[in-house]
Structure formats: structure tokens, C-alpha cells
Amino acid sequence: MATIIVPENVSIHEDAENLQKACKGWGTDEKAIINILGHRNAIQRKQIRQAYEELYQEDLIKRLESELSGDFEKAVYRWILDPFDRDAVLANVATKKAETEFPVIIEFSCIYSPEELLAVRRAYQSRYKRSLEEDVAAHTTGDLRKFLVGLVTTYRYDGPEINERLAKFEADILHEAIKDKIFNHEEVIRILTTRSKAQLKSSFNRYRDEHGTSITKKLLKDESNVLQKVLHAVIRCIDDPKKYYEKVLRNAIKRSGTDEDALTRVIVTRAEKDLKDLNKLYYEKNSVTLDHAVSKEIAGDYKKFLLTLLGKED
């Protein structure tokens, strides 16, 4: 469930006018910007951008970029973009550091539906005049390149049907590869980049039933192996996206120095989808609400904006 609170009656033209007033003159009215944009859904935000340009012959996104700064500006910028365009921006940033930022690419490839991933790839081409897979390939090498390009170019079957015999067969392949630490096994890459989510979950369940432990626990032992980390992230994203995102939030907040990029990414991309569920799961795992944890870690307008997206007020 979403966390953002959208008023019943919204005037798009009034919003555009009030945003122009908030950016006019010597000082910026950050509170007004938060109160408007933090309470508007994706369709309304697009309409506001269009109305603003019609009224003032100016790009609202560029105006906000010039008025705001730091983590607050980055969060507002990513929030106001169309969702798939925002994902394209996040993917582009990640491709430039793909050797370490591969989890961002994996999230889109393994959590999104086939149509959603295709929409991200189209938005990427439209924005950058290159393909996502082209940039992923350009910034990676070897087995990591093979794995990530396979993930971003896949168009998985999205139905519920499963083949139990195939699930057992491929669970055995995964088990042998993990046991022998052959993380670049061609069959492992083939299975994880092509099978439907339903089929893969069946294989993961079969793995657990036959070996007495989850496949992800077997992959936690060696944090230095990049391909092992990739396998772990792919399986977690496919098997239980909410648990995956909760862990991303927990690591972003509890690490030495807050990871603002990860914190912003999850809150901004999930606020209109399932952030309420993530908040509940976060509380179950950490005995503190997500908004309370966020309040303790960050400050200023950045904090006020993220709390607004969380459905809370500072």
C-alpha cells in the first residue's frame, strides 16, 4: 500500500502558480514545495509540470534544480519525474558504477514485471539515446557483464504456471554450483535470467525443502565475491522483494554514515506502491518505525520531504 497522502480536491493550476511563487524572489519557500509535491501522485505531478510550462514557458524540473540543493534537491528531482523516467535516471547513475551499484540494476530487472522493465528500457533510450544494456555492457566486464546484460534484456514469462520436475532439476543445478562456488556457471546464469518468477520461486522452495536451508543463506558466507553478491541480490529480489527492500533500508540507516542515495531511492520509488508494507516489515525487524528511524538519521528539508512521502509530518 502507498504512504503518500493526496487531498481529495486538487487544483493543478493553483499548484503550478504556488510553486512559481515558492521559487520567486530572493528566498525559496521549501515548505510550500514539500506541501504541494509531497502530496501529489504521479499523474498530478505530470499535470503540474505541464501546467507550469504553459503558464511560465519554463521547465519546472530545471527551476527546482536551480532553487534546491543537496539530498533534498536530489529527492525532489527524482520524485517529480515520471516513474519510468526516474527509473531510467537511477539506472544510468548505477551503470556508471556498475561494479558496485549493480543492486540498483538488479532491482529493476528482477522486481519489476516484464512490461515495467521494458518501459524503463524505453525511457532510458528516449532520455540517453542509447540502450540500457549497451551502457551496462560498457561499464562491466566478464561474468558480471554476462549476468547483468542477461537480466536487463530478459522478458520473462509472467504467468503462474510451474513445472515441478523442472524446479527440482534446476534446484539441483543451483545447489551444485553454490556448493562448488562456481558462481559463473552458465546454467546458473541461464536459469536466473530467463525463467519466470513463479518457476524460480518453485526452484528456491525445492532447494530449501531438499537441503534444509534457504538458498540465500548459502550465499551469505563470502562477501568479497562480486558474483556471489549478484546471485544473492537476484534471488532475494525475485523471492521476496519486500524483505529485500527492508534490508536495503536497514543497511542505509544503520551503516556508519547514512546511505542517502539508497534511502531516497527506496522511499521515492515505493511511496506510491508498497511503502506502507515496507514500514510495517521494518518495524517487525527493528522494533522501531521507519519514519522514526529516518527522523533520527537525517535533517532539514530533506528529512521533512521524506517524512511527507512516508505519510508523516515532522
Side-chain angles (χ1 to χ4, degrees), residues 150-161:
L151 287 172
V152 299
T153 56
T154 191
Y155 189 84
R156 301 180 193 274
Y157 174 63
D158 204 26
E161 295 83 1

Side-chain angles (χ1 to χ4, degrees), residues 28-135:
T28 306
D29 187 349
E30 289 86 355
K31 183 178 179 180
I33 292 170
I34 293 169
N35 286 341
I36 295 169
L37 295 179
H39 293 287
R40 302 293 183 269
N41 62 36
I43 293 172
Q44 291 166 336
R45 297 193 302 274
K46 183 174 184 176
Q47 291 171 339
I48 290 168
R49 294 199 316 269
Q50 292 169 340
Y52 189 94
E53 187 157 5
E54 289 171 6
L55 286 169
Y56 305 108
Q57 291 75 54
E58 181 181 38
D59 187 327
L60 176 59
I61 294 175
K62 290 182 179 177
R63 182 59 187 265
L64 290 171
E65 280 184 294
S66 70
E67 294 289 333
L68 310 177
S69 62
D71 292 315
F72 177 47
E73 181 272 325
K74 189 181 291 186
V76 170
Y77 171 71
R78 290 176 177 175
W79 177 247
I80 199 171
L81 290 172
D82 286 342
F84 292 128
D85 198 28
R86 172 180 64 220
D87 293 337
V89 170
L90 290 169
N92 180 254
V93 173
T95 59
K96 294 172 182 175
K97 299 181 286 183
E99 296 286 339
T100 56
E101 295 297 320
F102 56 80
V104 180
I105 298 166
I106 291 170
E107 287 169 21
F108 301 140
S109 304
C110 298
I111 294 176
Y112 284 20
S113 72
E115 287 297 327
E116 288 171 334
L117 175 57
L118 192 58
V120 174
R121 291 170 62 194
R122 284 174 176 149
Y124 195 98
Q125 288 195 17
S126 176
R127 176 175 274 267
Y128 299 108
K129 311 308 176 191
R130 302 184 303 275
S131 70
L132 174 57
E133 53 269 33
E134 181 182 354
D135 280 357

Side-chain angles (χ1 to χ4, degrees), residues 179-190:
K179 183 184 72 173
D180 297 336
K181 296 188 176 182
I182 309 174
F183 304 118
N184 63 346
H185 195 298
E186 283 192 7
E187 286 296 279
V188 171
I189 294 174
R190 176 190 63 79

Side-chain angles (χ1 to χ4, degrees), residues 144-196:
L144 180 61
R145 172 191 285 169
K146 190 187 302 182
F147 214 147
L148 294 182
V149 170
L151 287 172
V152 299
T153 56
T154 191
Y155 189 84
R156 301 180 193 274
Y157 174 63
D158 204 26
E161 295 83 1
I162 57 172
N163 182 323
E164 292 288 358
R165 185 178 295 178
L166 183 64
K168 181 188 183 317
F169 177 69
E170 294 189 336
D172 290 340
I173 291 175
L174 293 170
H175 176 258
E176 289 301 313
I178 292 169
K179 183 184 72 173
D180 297 336
K181 296 188 176 182
I182 309 174
F183 304 118
N184 63 346
H185 195 298
E186 283 192 7
E187 286 296 279
V188 171
I189 294 174
R190 176 190 63 79
I191 291 165
L192 293 177
T193 59
T194 63
R195 292 297 184 205
S196 72

